[in-house]
Amino acid sequence: SDLLARQGGDEFMALLHDIHTMHEALGVAEKIRRALNEVFVLDGRECLVSASIGIALYPDHGKDLASLTRCADAAMYRAKMNGRNGASVATDAPRPRVEP
């Protein structure tokens, strides 16, 4: 029931159905990060891949896909600023958008 999809460019999104705590989400992020840190051989060349992972949980960080995506995206950029190849958790629920 989990879903992994390419968001665009080099960004991917994992929607995990049965995750209830931040501890569980961080455990999955670490498994993904470790799997990607293995050396890949493509066309006879070794390739190294790393991942900066942003985590947002429903309903703590949003109750719709757009809100959760914004929170996870901000957390991902924080992971990149903290040295890359790690995970960062969303800090706050997004503020509702106010239309003028």
Side-chain angles (χ1 to χ4, degrees):
S1 62
D2 297 337
L3 175 68
L4 180 65
R6 181 172 175 252
Q7 178 92 4
D10 62 351
E11 292 186 8
F12 296 82
M13 179 182 295
L15 302 175
L16 308 175
H17 174 69
D18 208 18
I19 299 294
H20 303 288
T21 68
M22 192 55 67
H23 180 73
E24 291 173 321
L26 285 165
V28 172
E30 180 59 18
K31 285 181 184 179
I32 292 169
R33 197 191 63 72
R34 273 190 272 130
L36 290 174
N37 279 335
E38 296 291 324
V39 175
F40 293 93
V41 178
L42 299 172
D43 198 25
R45 294 182 162 200
E46 289 186 356
C47 298
L48 301 174
V49 177
S50 66
S52 297
I53 301 171
I55 299 171
L57 281 181
Y58 171 89
D60 301 347
H61 302 114
K63 295 185 180 181
D64 59 59
L65 182 60
S67 298
L68 290 165
T69 300
R70 279 194 304 277
C71 284
D73 196 52
M76 178 201 57
Y77 281 105
R78 202 169 33 264
K80 287 183 177 193
M81 289 187 330
N82 289 333
R84 301 180 179 267
N85 199 28
S88 180
V89 175
T91 55
D92 294 313
R95 293 188 175 104
R97 290 185 181 220
V98 177
E99 297 296 325

